[in-house]
Short mmCIF file of all heavy atoms in Angstrom, two decimals:
data_model
loop_
_atom_site.label_atom_id
_atom_site.label_comp_id
_atom_site.label_asym_id
_atom_site.label_seq_id
_atom_site.Cartn_x
_atom_site.Cartn_y
_atom_site.Cartn_z
N MET A 907 109.79 105.99 87.11
CA MET A 907 109.00 106.44 88.27
C MET A 907 108.92 107.95 88.38
O MET A 907 107.91 108.51 88.82
CB MET A 907 109.51 105.84 89.51
CG MET A 907 109.24 104.35 89.69
SD MET A 907 107.45 103.95 89.78
CE MET A 907 107.54 102.22 90.16
N ALA A 908 109.94 108.65 87.95
CA ALA A 908 109.99 110.09 88.04
C ALA A 908 108.82 110.70 87.22
O ALA A 908 108.16 111.68 87.64
CB ALA A 908 111.23 110.67 87.62
N VAL A 909 108.56 110.14 86.05
CA VAL A 909 107.56 110.60 85.18
C VAL A 909 106.14 110.34 85.84
O VAL A 909 105.30 111.25 85.88
CB VAL A 909 107.53 109.95 83.81
CG1 VAL A 909 106.34 110.27 82.95
CG2 VAL A 909 108.79 110.37 83.06
N ILE A 910 106.00 109.18 86.39
CA ILE A 910 104.71 108.78 87.04
C ILE A 910 104.51 109.77 88.26
O ILE A 910 103.40 110.21 88.46
CB ILE A 910 104.77 107.32 87.51
CG1 ILE A 910 104.75 106.40 86.29
CG2 ILE A 910 103.57 107.01 88.47
CD1 ILE A 910 105.03 104.96 86.59
N ASN A 911 105.59 109.94 89.09
CA ASN A 911 105.42 110.78 90.23
C ASN A 911 105.10 112.27 89.92
O ASN A 911 104.53 112.96 90.71
CB ASN A 911 106.70 110.73 91.10
CG ASN A 911 106.86 109.34 91.72
OD1 ASN A 911 105.85 108.64 91.98
ND2 ASN A 911 108.07 108.96 92.00
N SER A 912 105.44 112.66 88.74
CA SER A 912 105.12 114.05 88.38
C SER A 912 103.77 114.23 87.75
O SER A 912 103.28 115.37 87.62
CB SER A 912 106.20 114.57 87.34
OG SER A 912 105.98 113.88 86.09
N ALA A 913 103.08 113.17 87.53
CA ALA A 913 101.71 113.23 87.00
C ALA A 913 100.68 113.38 88.12
O ALA A 913 99.91 112.46 88.47
CB ALA A 913 101.43 111.98 86.17
N THR A 914 100.65 114.58 88.71
CA THR A 914 99.84 114.76 89.92
C THR A 914 98.33 114.72 89.65
O THR A 914 97.57 114.61 90.62
CB THR A 914 100.24 116.09 90.53
OG1 THR A 914 100.04 117.16 89.53
CG2 THR A 914 101.65 116.12 91.05
N ASN A 915 97.88 114.75 88.45
CA ASN A 915 96.49 114.65 88.13
C ASN A 915 96.01 113.25 87.91
O ASN A 915 94.90 112.97 87.54
CB ASN A 915 96.09 115.54 86.94
CG ASN A 915 96.22 116.98 87.24
OD1 ASN A 915 96.06 117.39 88.33
ND2 ASN A 915 96.58 117.74 86.22
N THR A 916 96.96 112.25 88.10
CA THR A 916 96.64 110.86 87.86
C THR A 916 95.50 110.36 88.78
O THR A 916 95.53 110.67 90.01
CB THR A 916 97.88 110.00 88.11
OG1 THR A 916 98.86 110.39 87.19
CG2 THR A 916 97.61 108.50 87.94
N THR A 917 94.45 109.74 88.19
CA THR A 917 93.45 109.21 89.04
C THR A 917 93.47 107.68 89.15
O THR A 917 92.99 107.11 90.11
CB THR A 917 92.05 109.54 88.44
OG1 THR A 917 91.97 109.11 87.13
CG2 THR A 917 91.85 111.06 88.47
N THR A 918 94.13 107.01 88.25
CA THR A 918 94.34 105.56 88.31
C THR A 918 95.82 105.24 88.11
O THR A 918 96.48 105.69 87.15
CB THR A 918 93.56 104.84 87.17
OG1 THR A 918 92.14 105.26 87.35
CG2 THR A 918 93.73 103.33 87.25
N PHE A 919 96.34 104.43 88.99
CA PHE A 919 97.69 104.05 88.96
C PHE A 919 97.73 102.49 88.98
O PHE A 919 97.37 101.85 89.96
CB PHE A 919 98.46 104.58 90.20
CG PHE A 919 99.94 104.51 90.14
CD1 PHE A 919 100.67 104.22 89.05
CD2 PHE A 919 100.65 104.79 91.32
CE1 PHE A 919 102.05 104.18 88.99
CE2 PHE A 919 102.03 104.77 91.34
CZ PHE A 919 102.76 104.46 90.20
N ASP A 920 98.10 101.89 87.84
CA ASP A 920 98.00 100.39 87.68
C ASP A 920 99.44 99.86 87.61
O ASP A 920 100.20 100.04 86.64
CB ASP A 920 97.29 100.09 86.42
CG ASP A 920 96.97 98.58 86.34
OD1 ASP A 920 97.53 97.77 87.10
OD2 ASP A 920 96.17 98.28 85.43
N LEU A 921 99.84 99.15 88.67
CA LEU A 921 101.20 98.59 88.72
C LEU A 921 101.01 97.01 88.63
O LEU A 921 101.88 96.30 89.12
CB LEU A 921 101.83 98.89 90.07
CG LEU A 921 102.28 100.36 90.21
CD1 LEU A 921 102.72 100.63 91.65
CD2 LEU A 921 103.43 100.72 89.23
N THR A 922 99.96 96.57 87.96
CA THR A 922 99.72 95.14 87.84
C THR A 922 100.93 94.47 87.29
O THR A 922 101.35 94.68 86.16
CB THR A 922 98.56 94.88 86.91
OG1 THR A 922 97.39 95.55 87.50
CG2 THR A 922 98.21 93.44 86.82
N GLY A 923 101.47 93.54 88.07
CA GLY A 923 102.58 92.68 87.63
C GLY A 923 103.89 93.36 87.34
O GLY A 923 104.78 92.71 86.75
N ILE A 924 104.04 94.62 87.70
CA ILE A 924 105.28 95.34 87.39
C ILE A 924 106.50 94.58 87.94
O ILE A 924 107.55 94.65 87.38
CB ILE A 924 105.26 96.79 87.89
CG1 ILE A 924 106.43 97.60 87.27
CG2 ILE A 924 105.29 96.88 89.39
CD1 ILE A 924 106.34 99.07 87.55
N LEU A 925 106.33 93.87 89.03
CA LEU A 925 107.47 93.16 89.63
C LEU A 925 107.35 91.65 89.43
O LEU A 925 108.08 90.92 90.05
CB LEU A 925 107.54 93.54 91.12
CG LEU A 925 107.75 94.94 91.39
CD1 LEU A 925 107.61 95.28 92.86
CD2 LEU A 925 109.14 95.44 90.91
N SER A 926 106.49 91.16 88.58
CA SER A 926 106.27 89.80 88.44
C SER A 926 107.46 89.01 87.87
O SER A 926 107.54 87.78 88.02
CB SER A 926 105.03 89.54 87.61
OG SER A 926 105.26 90.01 86.27
N LYS A 927 108.38 89.63 87.23
CA LYS A 927 109.53 89.00 86.63
C LYS A 927 110.73 88.93 87.55
O LYS A 927 111.79 88.40 87.19
CB LYS A 927 109.97 89.68 85.31
CG LYS A 927 108.84 89.65 84.23
CD LYS A 927 108.44 88.27 83.86
CE LYS A 927 107.47 88.25 82.78
NZ LYS A 927 106.89 86.99 82.46
N VAL A 928 110.63 89.52 88.76
CA VAL A 928 111.75 89.49 89.72
C VAL A 928 111.85 88.05 90.19
O VAL A 928 110.85 87.51 90.81
CB VAL A 928 111.56 90.44 90.91
CG1 VAL A 928 112.65 90.35 91.89
CG2 VAL A 928 111.50 91.90 90.37
N PRO A 929 112.97 87.41 90.04
CA PRO A 929 113.12 86.02 90.48
C PRO A 929 113.02 85.86 92.00
O PRO A 929 113.47 86.75 92.69
CB PRO A 929 114.46 85.61 89.90
CG PRO A 929 115.24 86.84 89.76
CD PRO A 929 114.21 87.93 89.48
N ALA A 930 112.51 84.71 92.45
CA ALA A 930 112.49 84.46 93.83
C ALA A 930 113.89 84.17 94.30
O ALA A 930 114.54 83.26 93.80
CB ALA A 930 111.55 83.24 94.11
N GLN A 931 114.37 84.95 95.20
CA GLN A 931 115.77 84.80 95.77
C GLN A 931 115.78 85.40 97.10
O GLN A 931 114.78 85.88 97.61
CB GLN A 931 116.70 85.48 94.80
CG GLN A 931 116.40 86.92 94.54
CD GLN A 931 117.18 87.50 93.36
OE1 GLN A 931 117.67 86.77 92.54
NE2 GLN A 931 117.34 88.84 93.30
N SER A 932 116.92 85.45 97.74
CA SER A 932 117.04 85.86 99.13
C SER A 932 116.62 87.32 99.35
O SER A 932 116.10 87.64 100.43
CB SER A 932 118.44 85.62 99.66
OG SER A 932 119.36 86.37 98.83
N ASN A 933 116.79 88.15 98.34
CA ASN A 933 116.39 89.58 98.53
C ASN A 933 115.14 89.92 97.80
O ASN A 933 114.85 91.10 97.50
CB ASN A 933 117.56 90.51 98.11
CG ASN A 933 117.85 90.38 96.60
OD1 ASN A 933 117.39 89.52 95.96
ND2 ASN A 933 118.71 91.36 96.19
N TYR A 934 114.38 88.93 97.47
CA TYR A 934 113.10 89.04 96.73
C TYR A 934 112.15 90.18 97.29
O TYR A 934 111.78 91.07 96.61
CB TYR A 934 112.40 87.74 96.70
CG TYR A 934 111.12 87.64 95.94
CD1 TYR A 934 111.11 87.55 94.54
CD2 TYR A 934 109.94 87.65 96.59
CE1 TYR A 934 109.93 87.41 93.79
CE2 TYR A 934 108.71 87.54 95.84
CZ TYR A 934 108.76 87.40 94.48
OH TYR A 934 107.65 87.34 93.81
N ASN A 935 111.87 90.05 98.58
CA ASN A 935 110.96 91.02 99.20
C ASN A 935 111.61 92.41 99.25
O ASN A 935 110.84 93.43 99.03
CB ASN A 935 110.60 90.59 100.57
CG ASN A 935 109.71 89.37 100.57
OD1 ASN A 935 108.97 89.11 99.63
ND2 ASN A 935 109.75 88.58 101.58
N THR A 936 112.88 92.47 99.42
CA THR A 936 113.54 93.82 99.50
C THR A 936 113.44 94.47 98.14
O THR A 936 113.22 95.70 98.04
CB THR A 936 115.06 93.62 99.88
OG1 THR A 936 115.11 92.97 101.14
CG2 THR A 936 115.78 94.96 99.96
N VAL A 937 113.67 93.73 97.01
CA VAL A 937 113.60 94.29 95.68
C VAL A 937 112.18 94.83 95.42
O VAL A 937 111.99 95.95 94.94
CB VAL A 937 114.00 93.26 94.66
CG1 VAL A 937 113.68 93.76 93.24
CG2 VAL A 937 115.47 92.90 94.73
N HIS A 938 111.17 94.08 95.83
CA HIS A 938 109.79 94.46 95.61
C HIS A 938 109.48 95.77 96.38
O HIS A 938 108.97 96.74 95.80
CB HIS A 938 108.83 93.36 96.02
CG HIS A 938 108.51 92.36 95.04
ND1 HIS A 938 109.40 91.42 94.63
CD2 HIS A 938 107.46 92.16 94.20
CE1 HIS A 938 108.93 90.67 93.67
NE2 HIS A 938 107.69 91.14 93.40
N MET A 939 109.80 95.76 97.63
CA MET A 939 109.47 96.91 98.52
C MET A 939 110.26 98.17 98.06
O MET A 939 109.72 99.24 97.99
CB MET A 939 109.74 96.62 99.95
CG MET A 939 108.85 95.60 100.51
SD MET A 939 107.06 95.82 100.27
CE MET A 939 106.82 97.25 101.25
N ALA A 940 111.53 97.99 97.68
CA ALA A 940 112.34 99.13 97.24
C ALA A 940 111.83 99.69 95.95
O ALA A 940 111.78 100.92 95.72
CB ALA A 940 113.82 98.72 97.03
N THR A 941 111.40 98.89 95.04
CA THR A 941 110.86 99.33 93.73
C THR A 941 109.49 100.06 94.00
O THR A 941 109.30 101.15 93.41
CB THR A 941 110.68 98.15 92.77
OG1 THR A 941 111.94 97.54 92.57
CG2 THR A 941 110.18 98.68 91.41
N LEU A 942 108.63 99.52 94.75
CA LEU A 942 107.35 100.15 94.97
C LEU A 942 107.53 101.44 95.74
O LEU A 942 106.73 102.36 95.61
CB LEU A 942 106.43 99.20 95.68
CG LEU A 942 105.93 98.09 94.76
CD1 LEU A 942 105.03 97.08 95.64
CD2 LEU A 942 105.08 98.56 93.62
N ALA A 943 108.58 101.51 96.61
CA ALA A 943 108.84 102.69 97.36
C ALA A 943 109.21 103.91 96.48
O ALA A 943 108.99 105.04 96.87
CB ALA A 943 109.91 102.43 98.37
N LEU A 944 109.63 103.64 95.25
CA LEU A 944 109.97 104.73 94.28
C LEU A 944 108.73 105.42 93.83
O LEU A 944 108.77 106.58 93.45
CB LEU A 944 110.74 104.14 93.07
CG LEU A 944 112.10 103.59 93.40
CD1 LEU A 944 112.61 102.96 92.07
CD2 LEU A 944 113.09 104.74 93.82
N ALA A 945 107.59 104.76 93.94
CA ALA A 945 106.34 105.39 93.55
C ALA A 945 105.86 106.23 94.77
O ALA A 945 105.50 105.68 95.81
CB ALA A 945 105.26 104.39 93.19
N GLN A 946 105.86 107.53 94.60
CA GLN A 946 105.49 108.43 95.75
C GLN A 946 103.97 108.67 95.76
O GLN A 946 103.50 109.73 95.29
CB GLN A 946 106.31 109.71 95.64
CG GLN A 946 107.77 109.49 95.74
CD GLN A 946 108.52 110.74 95.50
OE1 GLN A 946 108.04 111.83 95.27
NE2 GLN A 946 109.88 110.64 95.58
N ILE A 947 103.28 107.58 96.14
CA ILE A 947 101.75 107.59 96.07
C ILE A 947 101.22 108.81 96.82
O ILE A 947 100.23 109.38 96.39
CB ILE A 947 101.22 106.30 96.68
CG1 ILE A 947 101.85 105.14 95.99
CG2 ILE A 947 99.72 106.29 96.67
CD1 ILE A 947 101.61 104.97 94.47
N ASN A 948 101.79 109.22 97.90
CA ASN A 948 101.31 110.31 98.71
C ASN A 948 101.25 111.66 97.94
O ASN A 948 100.51 112.56 98.30
CB ASN A 948 102.11 110.44 100.01
CG ASN A 948 103.53 110.77 99.77
OD1 ASN A 948 104.17 110.26 98.83
ND2 ASN A 948 104.13 111.57 100.63
N LYS A 949 102.09 111.74 96.88
CA LYS A 949 102.05 112.99 96.08
C LYS A 949 101.06 112.96 94.97
O LYS A 949 100.82 113.99 94.30
CB LYS A 949 103.51 113.20 95.51
CG LYS A 949 104.48 113.52 96.60
CD LYS A 949 105.80 113.85 96.05
CE LYS A 949 106.75 114.24 97.22
NZ LYS A 949 108.10 114.59 96.77
N LEU A 950 100.42 111.85 94.75
CA LEU A 950 99.38 111.74 93.74
C LEU A 950 98.06 112.00 94.40
O LEU A 950 97.23 111.14 94.59
CB LEU A 950 99.41 110.35 93.09
CG LEU A 950 100.75 109.91 92.47
CD1 LEU A 950 100.73 108.51 91.93
CD2 LEU A 950 101.20 110.86 91.36
N THR A 951 97.81 113.25 94.62
CA THR A 951 96.67 113.72 95.43
C THR A 951 95.30 113.46 94.72
O THR A 951 94.28 113.36 95.42
CB THR A 951 96.77 115.21 95.78
OG1 THR A 951 96.92 115.97 94.54
CG2 THR A 951 97.99 115.41 96.65
N ALA A 952 95.26 113.30 93.44
CA ALA A 952 93.99 113.04 92.69
C ALA A 952 93.75 111.53 92.56
O ALA A 952 92.71 111.13 92.05
CB ALA A 952 94.00 113.64 91.32
N LEU A 953 94.61 110.69 93.14
CA LEU A 953 94.47 109.29 92.98
C LEU A 953 93.23 108.70 93.55
O LEU A 953 92.92 108.97 94.72
CB LEU A 953 95.72 108.56 93.55
CG LEU A 953 95.99 107.12 93.28
CD1 LEU A 953 96.24 106.94 91.83
CD2 LEU A 953 97.07 106.52 94.07
N LYS A 954 92.47 107.90 92.78
CA LYS A 954 91.28 107.24 93.25
C LYS A 954 91.49 105.73 93.25
O LYS A 954 90.83 105.03 94.04
CB LYS A 954 90.12 107.66 92.41
CG LYS A 954 89.90 109.11 92.36
CD LYS A 954 88.41 109.43 92.66
CE LYS A 954 88.22 110.97 92.52
NZ LYS A 954 88.67 111.75 93.54
N THR A 955 92.25 105.18 92.31
CA THR A 955 92.41 103.79 92.19
C THR A 955 93.90 103.36 92.10
O THR A 955 94.60 103.90 91.26
CB THR A 955 91.76 103.24 90.88
OG1 THR A 955 90.38 103.59 90.91
CG2 THR A 955 91.81 101.69 90.80
N LEU A 956 94.35 102.45 92.99
CA LEU A 956 95.69 101.94 92.97
C LEU A 956 95.61 100.44 92.80
O LEU A 956 95.01 99.75 93.71
CB LEU A 956 96.44 102.35 94.30
CG LEU A 956 97.81 101.75 94.51
CD1 LEU A 956 98.74 102.26 93.41
CD2 LEU A 956 98.28 102.10 95.84
N ASN A 957 96.17 99.93 91.77
CA ASN A 957 96.11 98.49 91.53
C ASN A 957 97.51 97.89 91.65
O ASN A 957 98.37 98.21 90.86
CB ASN A 957 95.52 98.17 90.14
CG ASN A 957 95.26 96.73 89.93
OD1 ASN A 957 95.65 95.90 90.70
ND2 ASN A 957 94.53 96.43 88.87
N LEU A 958 97.72 97.02 92.58
CA LEU A 958 98.98 96.31 92.81
C LEU A 958 98.84 94.85 92.53
O LEU A 958 99.74 94.03 92.92
CB LEU A 958 99.41 96.51 94.25
CG LEU A 958 99.75 97.94 94.65
CD1 LEU A 958 100.00 98.02 96.19
CD2 LEU A 958 100.87 98.56 93.87
N ASP A 959 97.84 94.43 91.77
CA ASP A 959 97.60 93.00 91.46
C ASP A 959 98.78 92.33 90.90
O ASP A 959 99.47 92.88 90.02
CB ASP A 959 96.39 92.86 90.57
CG ASP A 959 96.00 91.45 90.31
OD1 ASP A 959 96.07 90.69 91.30
OD2 ASP A 959 95.73 91.06 89.16
N GLY A 960 99.14 91.17 91.44
CA GLY A 960 100.20 90.40 90.84
C GLY A 960 101.56 90.75 91.40
O GLY A 960 102.61 90.15 91.10
N ASN A 961 101.68 91.77 92.27
CA ASN A 961 102.90 92.13 92.98
C ASN A 961 102.96 91.34 94.30
O ASN A 961 102.10 91.49 95.10
CB ASN A 961 103.03 93.56 93.14
CG ASN A 961 103.14 94.29 91.85
OD1 ASN A 961 104.13 94.14 91.13
ND2 ASN A 961 102.18 95.09 91.49
N GLN A 962 103.88 90.48 94.41
CA GLN A 962 103.97 89.60 95.60
C GLN A 962 104.65 90.33 96.75
O GLN A 962 105.86 90.32 96.85
CB GLN A 962 104.71 88.31 95.23
CG GLN A 962 103.95 87.56 94.08
CD GLN A 962 104.76 86.40 93.56
OE1 GLN A 962 105.74 85.99 94.19
NE2 GLN A 962 104.29 85.89 92.45
N LEU A 963 103.86 90.89 97.57
CA LEU A 963 104.40 91.64 98.72
C LEU A 963 104.42 90.81 100.01
O LEU A 963 103.38 90.28 100.41
CB LEU A 963 103.62 92.90 98.96
CG LEU A 963 103.44 93.85 97.79
CD1 LEU A 963 102.51 94.98 98.11
CD2 LEU A 963 104.79 94.43 97.41
N GLY A 964 105.57 90.64 100.57
CA GLY A 964 105.65 89.84 101.77
C GLY A 964 105.79 88.36 101.46
O GLY A 964 105.49 87.93 100.35
N VAL A 965 106.13 87.62 102.43
CA VAL A 965 106.41 86.11 102.22
C VAL A 965 105.07 85.41 102.00
O VAL A 965 105.05 84.34 101.39
CB VAL A 965 107.13 85.55 103.39
CG1 VAL A 965 108.56 86.12 103.44
CG2 VAL A 965 106.42 85.75 104.73
N ASP A 966 103.94 85.93 102.44
CA ASP A 966 102.67 85.21 102.31
C ASP A 966 101.94 85.64 101.01
O ASP A 966 100.86 85.20 100.75
CB ASP A 966 101.77 85.42 103.54
CG ASP A 966 101.41 86.88 103.77
OD1 ASP A 966 101.94 87.76 103.01
OD2 ASP A 966 100.66 87.15 104.70
N LYS A 967 102.59 86.55 100.25
CA LYS A 967 102.06 87.03 99.01
C LYS A 967 100.64 87.59 99.17
O LYS A 967 99.87 87.68 98.24
CB LYS A 967 102.10 85.93 97.91
CG LYS A 967 103.46 85.41 97.70
CD LYS A 967 103.55 84.33 96.69
CE LYS A 967 104.97 83.80 96.64
NZ LYS A 967 105.08 82.67 95.70
#
């Protein structure tokens, strides 16, 4: 994530399925949110497209 966060000219950020292999367990949502929190989206000022497809956020997915 440090490399990604330093790419300030990034216009497309595709996290499709990055967390799809995390097993469903009691801390499932915490692992997802903590991992995605490492991506400092607010620092990617040139960002135009953010794709989170396949990442199950929250209990209702």
Side-chain angles (χ1 to χ4, degrees):
M907 287 297 186
V909 171
I910 292 168
N911 290 333
S912 68
T914 56
N915 291 330
T916 299
T917 57
T918 301
F919 194 12
D920 189 349
L921 291 171
T922 301
I924 192 172
L925 301 171
S926 63
K927 300 297 182 189
V928 176
Q931 56 194 21
S932 59
N933 65 348
Y934 181 79
N935 291 334
T936 303
V937 170
H938 274 75
M939 295 308 293
T941 303
L942 288 175
L944 292 173
Q946 298 174 1
I947 305 300
N948 60 324
K949 293 186 178 180
L950 303 176
T951 56
L953 193 66
K954 303 231 184 283
T955 304
L956 175 62
N957 189 348
L958 297 173
D959 186 39
N961 292 296
Q962 301 173 11
L963 304 174
V965 293
D966 61 357
K967 301 179 185 178

